[in-house]
């Protein structure tokens, strides 16, 4: 995981601990994560963890904040691109999850996602992620309509449709062994965008 | 949770324990589930749990099998309906998650889903669910094309698209506070089916 420390106040030791937690999470899963297992991924004594985080929950909470911030900072779209290129780039980034670093970041978020069913703080973070993704898609489509590049569609309907596909594909990729599905779904989304935003007007 | 005991060899005590596990899971989440908390949901002593299941993992595994079997038995489509009604009914069932019982069953499955990132056995169960859902959609579309009711589309592409939307909506419903999104996404799917399978030919 590449960590952008410039945007935060996290020290290098904290980043090292978060990186170890990230690796342990992807190895053992959320429910089987222990401080000992996180310590196994560290080059330092595990006692350093307790110097920086009072409990395992504090550490996991910091990791989720960190993963969410990193994920959201990467979905920024290029300001100078036109709506079509911007939307294609955005969808490609989320649906193909290339490079491997992006794939792992998504996997970490999927590891946390189930906890959002019962944990209000984690639920608030996933609400934040999905609101932000939906707003980004809405913004691109609205600008496309304004510029006459896209058809005058029901913006929220198309945005929620695309967001659902994105979340469905990410879930499939990390929680099943159904290979090739992401590629098929990506092709279907390209075709959906083409017919919904370009051909239907 | 309504339990169809006729299809299984589970005893009434086992069903009672599974029901208690189900309730405790929806109250505390997967990672914070303990045998004590499951016992709190039982009218019997928690020692009965260990008479039937060696470990907490055995019990959770039995619950997942049970939830998957129940979920899959409910998605059976009506054999005498035409492809359009069959597809609409199938999508409505999964996208609106009504009644409350269906909603809770989906929530239990979402509680398990993150564990599939690292646990091969759980991953195999989610692969099984998604394969079955995809096959059901494919079958309905293929029959619709055969009968001349649907356009001659790329069946796997449309099926994977619909499955991704379904999983995205279920994930949104149980892991975020974004209200009204399922209704918007459902409307978009109805419109997608209409334009993709009816109007494009």
């Amino acid at each position: 995981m590449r960590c952008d420390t410039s945007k935060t106040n996290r020290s290098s030791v904290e980043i090292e601990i978060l990186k170890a937690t990230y690796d342990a999470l992807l190895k053992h899963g959320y429910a089987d994560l222990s401080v000992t297992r996180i310590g196994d991924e560290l080059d330092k004594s595990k006692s350093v963890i307790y110097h920086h985080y009072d409990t395992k929950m504090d550490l996991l909470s910091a990791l989720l904040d960190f993963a969410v911030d990193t994920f959201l900072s990467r979905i920024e779209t290029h300001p100078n691109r036109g709506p079509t290129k911007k939307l294609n780039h955005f969808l490609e980034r989320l649906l193909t999850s290339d490079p491997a670093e992006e794939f792992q970041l998504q996997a970490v978020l999927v590891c946390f996602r189930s906890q959002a069913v019962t944990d209000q703080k984690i639920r608030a973070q996933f609400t934040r992620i999905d609101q932000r993704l939906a707003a980004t898609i809405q913004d691109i489509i609205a600008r496309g309509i304004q510029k006459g590049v896209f058809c005058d569609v029901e913006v929220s309907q198309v945005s929620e449709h695309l967001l659902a596909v994105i979340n469905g594909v990410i879930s499939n990729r990390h929680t099943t062994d159904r290979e090739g599905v992401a590629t098929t779904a990506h092709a279907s989304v390209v075709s959906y965008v083409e017919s919904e935003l370009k051909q239907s007007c």
Side-chain angles (χ1 to χ4, degrees), chain A:
Chain A
M1 180 169 62
R2 188 181 52 210
C3 306
D4 186 359
T5 54
S6 62
K7 284 188 183 175
T8 71
N9 294 320
R10 295 172 185 111
S11 68
S12 63
V13 180
E14 280 171 315
I15 297 285
E16 219 175 306
I17 296 168
L18 289 175
K19 171 79 175 65
T21 313
Y22 181 106
D23 292 341
L25 183 64
L26 291 182
K27 207 177 272 181
H28 307 289
Y30 187 94
D32 296 319
L33 199 63
S34 63
V35 173
T36 302
R37 282 176 164 165
I38 296 166
D40 290 343
E41 304 295 324
L42 263 181
D43 285 333
K44 298 178 166 58
S45 153
K46 78 170 187 177
S47 65
V48 75
I49 297 172
Y50 290 112
H51 282 291
H52 293 272
Y53 302 95
D54 289 338
T55 64
K56 187 182 92 176
M57 273 320 293
D58 287 342
L59 172 54
L60 283 174
S61 179
L63 178 64
L64 178 60
D65 291 346
F66 186 60
V68 171
D69 290 347
T70 309
F71 180 75
L72 291 179
S73 72
R74 289 190 191 173
I75 61 152
E76 294 295 342
T77 56
H78 199 292
N80 297 327
R81 276 188 177 150
T84 303
K85 276 197 175 173
K86 220 181 238 186
L87 187 58
N88 289 344
H89 176 78
F90 179 83
L91 292 170
E92 203 175 311
R93 177 131 212 182
L94 288 161
L95 291 170
T96 59
S97 92
D98 205 35
E101 209 177 289
E102 207 74 38
F103 182 86
Q104 284 200 321
L105 181 60
Q106 284 183 9
V108 163
L109 290 172
V110 174
C111 281
F112 275 101
R113 192 135 199 160
S114 287
Q115 287 303 307
V117 176
T118 50
D119 184 314
Q120 281 308 313
K121 204 180 159 194
I122 295 180
R123 194 179 182 90
Q125 284 286 37
F126 282 100
T127 302
R128 190 181 148 215
I129 291 181
D130 282 5
Q131 291 288 36
R132 177 73 172 279
L133 290 174
T136 303
I137 303 171
Q138 276 178 27
D139 185 57
I140 299 172
I141 296 175
R143 280 168 197 262
I145 295 171
Q146 207 178 14
K147 287 190 174 184
V149 183
F150 293 156
C151 305
D152 190 11
V153 294
E154 186 67 61
V155 179
S156 67
Q157 202 167 291
V158 176
S159 306
E160 292 303 338
H161 188 99
L162 288 173
L163 178 58
V165 175
I166 289 167
N167 280 331
V169 168
I170 290 175
S171 170
N172 168 80
R173 185 188 292 133
H174 295 281
T175 65
T176 76
D177 293 314
R178 303 183 67 236
E179 282 170 26
V181 165
T183 312
T184 310
H186 185 215
S188 81
V189 167
V190 170
S191 152
Y192 171 76
V193 166
E194 188 64 28
S195 83
E196 197 74 14
L197 296 175
K198 304 284 189 73
Q199 291 166 0
S200 68
C201 49

